[in-house]
Amino acid sequence: MQGPNKLDLAHLPTPVQKLEKLSTRLREINANSPEIHIKRDDFSGMEVSGNKIRKLEYSLLEAKNQGCDLLITCGGIQSNHCRATAAIGARMGLKVVLLLMGKACDAPVGNHFMDGFFGATVHMIPSDEAIASLEDLFPKYASLYEEKGYKPYLIPTGASNGIGAFGYKNCMKEIMDNGGKAYDAIVVTVGSAGTYAGLLLGKEAYGFEGDVYGINIAADHDYFFNRTKAVIEESNIYMAQPVSIPDQWIKIIDGYQGDGYALNRPEDFAFIKEIGAMEGLLVDPVYTGKALKGLVAECEKGTFDHCERVLFIHTGGLYGLLAKSGEMASYL
Ligand SMILES: Cc1ncc(COP(=O)(O)O)c(C=O)c1O
């Protein structure tokens, strides 16, 4: 494959299942609605569950090749990416430092609980800190740990950079090697755009003929359109033959972020609960729940009427769901 090599850290290939009842229900509402299939990247590994481990397979080989012994990364307090990095760092014998946006709490839950469980050092960054993004703090924390004798490797939010995106270029290969031609479209959640950018690189490399849609769960269309292009450009640094992804391939479906990142409305919880009871499937309130809700709404509207079969990639988030169990209790 054109591009960098990787470590084997995830349980791959992940399985695909048809969402029978959801597909039937959608056809009752709109007779032209497609079958919905789901690729279970939430099965990529118990502790590392979700999409991040595919990206980390690439980042961590780079860290290893550079002789680094410390991983510094960042995210929200319930970051799935930070939890996966903490777990895999422990497995690989690397120290992990997490910069988490939020307030320290006595009884951490969900992903944040696991960060500590896996032995990561957590620095809480108050949300009123005068920074544009958590990555702005990387130089400060890198110097702090260099002074202690470590050689840090810096992983941006969500591992959504040029190297991380190869994780989902490779996922597209996995899809194509396992009957990918049967799908007319692929739909995925967009949070920091590395997953989506990687799938587009994979579409170019492995000839997926359908469209690849991203449903953003924060910010807006233009922000993620530009982010996707930026990540692809960065990935090109790693390729002997840079590729060009046409702008019209970037199909961000905006409008399902609700009140914004990690904020939920009652209808989000009601949807997650409905899917749980209908399909025995867990989706999370921050990422996959909002995106799947978006896909369902778009099927009802007819956006996917041209498709026989759509593949939704379940990018994980279970532990974030557990962190919101209190808020969700009244929906059970
Ligand atoms: C569970 C889950 N799904 C989807 C995403 C979005 O992936 P990306 O950040 O690559 O856009 C994330 C992280 O942001 C995530 O944790």
Side-chain angles (χ1 to χ4, degrees):
M1 160 171 135
Q2 234 228 119
N5 290 325
K6 70 177 191 75
L7 297 171
D8 285 329
L9 303 172
H11 284 278
L12 303 179
T14 55
V16 173
Q17 72 192 79
K18 181 179 169 192
L19 295 182
E20 292 278 358
K21 293 189 191 125
L22 180 62
S23 302
T24 303
R25 208 205 64 187
L26 284 170
R27 283 193 173 158
E28 284 162 10
I29 297 167
N30 168 9
N32 297 317
S33 194
E35 281 178 5
I36 309 294
H37 294 241
I38 188 162
K39 183 163 175 65
R40 302 297 303 267
D41 272 15
D42 52 327
F43 286 4
S44 58
M46 171 80 176
E47 298 83 2
V48 296
S49 163
N51 56 340
K52 305 308 176 188
I53 192 63
R54 287 190 188 264
K55 304 174 183 189
L56 291 170
E57 287 194 326
Y58 286 86
S59 329
L60 292 203
L61 180 58
E62 186 172 73
K64 215 173 137 193
N65 289 342
Q66 291 176 6
C68 297
D69 54 4
L70 165 68
L71 308 173
I72 301 182
T73 192
C74 59
I77 191 162
Q78 282 301 329
S79 165
N80 296 296
H81 158 69
C82 288
R83 177 259 309 151
T85 305
I88 209 65
R91 201 194 293 175
M92 292 178 63
L94 300 169
K95 181 173 175 62
V96 175
V97 169
L98 304 176
L99 312 181
L100 296 185
M101 184 67 83
K103 269 200 255 150
C105 48
D106 295 335
V109 292
N111 287 299
H112 186 30
F113 166 74
M114 291 187 201
D115 296 338
F117 195 83
F118 295 131
T121 299
V122 174
H123 296 275
M124 296 305 306
I125 313 298
S127 45
D128 56 3
E129 181 101 3
I131 45 168
S133 79
L134 284 167
E135 282 101 352
D136 292 352
L137 296 171
F138 278 178
K140 172 178 159 186
Y141 283 93
S143 309
L144 190 78
Y145 283 91
E146 272 160 3
E147 280 164 23
K148 295 177 197 243
Y150 288 100
K151 184 164 183 204
Y153 179 83
L154 307 173
I155 308 174
T157 305
S160 284
N161 57 359
I163 188 132
F166 284 95
Y168 273 84
K169 180 184 180 197
N170 194 42
C171 177
M172 183 62 98
K173 180 173 187 321
E174 188 179 300
I175 291 169
M176 294 307 282
D177 287 347
N178 291 279
K181 282 205 169 93
Y183 304 108
D184 304 295
I186 295 175
V187 178
V188 75
T189 313
V190 179
S192 55
T195 302
Y196 185 60
L199 288 169
L200 291 175
L201 289 171
K203 171 176 160 67
E204 194 277 339
Y206 306 112
F208 177 69
E209 284 178 6
D211 290 319
V212 183
Y213 295 86
I215 301 186
N216 54 299
I217 52 73
D220 60 19
H221 170 277
D222 291 357
Y223 175 81
F224 282 113
F225 182 87
N226 292 325
R227 269 295 300 151
T228 303
K229 282 177 78 80
V231 175
I232 290 170
E233 208 157 294
E234 216 187 303
S235 294
N236 267 328
I237 297 169
Y238 294 87
M239 293 201 260
Q241 298 271 290
V243 299
S244 163
I245 302 296
D247 280 1
Q248 61 273 22
W249 282 16
I250 305 178
K251 293 182 182 292
I252 304 280
I253 300 180
D254 197 1
Y256 297 99
Q257 63 280 70
D259 293 331
Y261 179 71
L263 300 173
N264 289 110
R265 295 176 180 168
E267 60 262 35
D268 298 338
F269 295 135
F271 175 80
I272 290 168
K273 162 69 177 73
E274 192 189 349
I275 288 294
M278 186 193 293
E279 291 282 1
L281 177 73
L282 293 167
V283 288
D284 78 289
V286 180
Y287 298 99
T288 52
K290 284 186 176 176
L292 186 60
K293 186 161 168 280
L295 172 59
V296 165
E298 293 293 324
C299 286
E300 290 175 358
K301 278 203 282 190
T303 307
F304 291 95
D305 281 8
H306 62 291
C307 300
E308 274 288 312
R309 260 175 236 101
V310 168
L311 183 67
F312 178 77
I313 303 184
H314 191 322
T315 43
L318 165 65
Y319 306 120
L321 170 64
L322 299 180
K324 290 217 178 202
S325 57
E327 268 181 82
M328 281 195 70
S330 63
Y331 295 87
L332 303 183

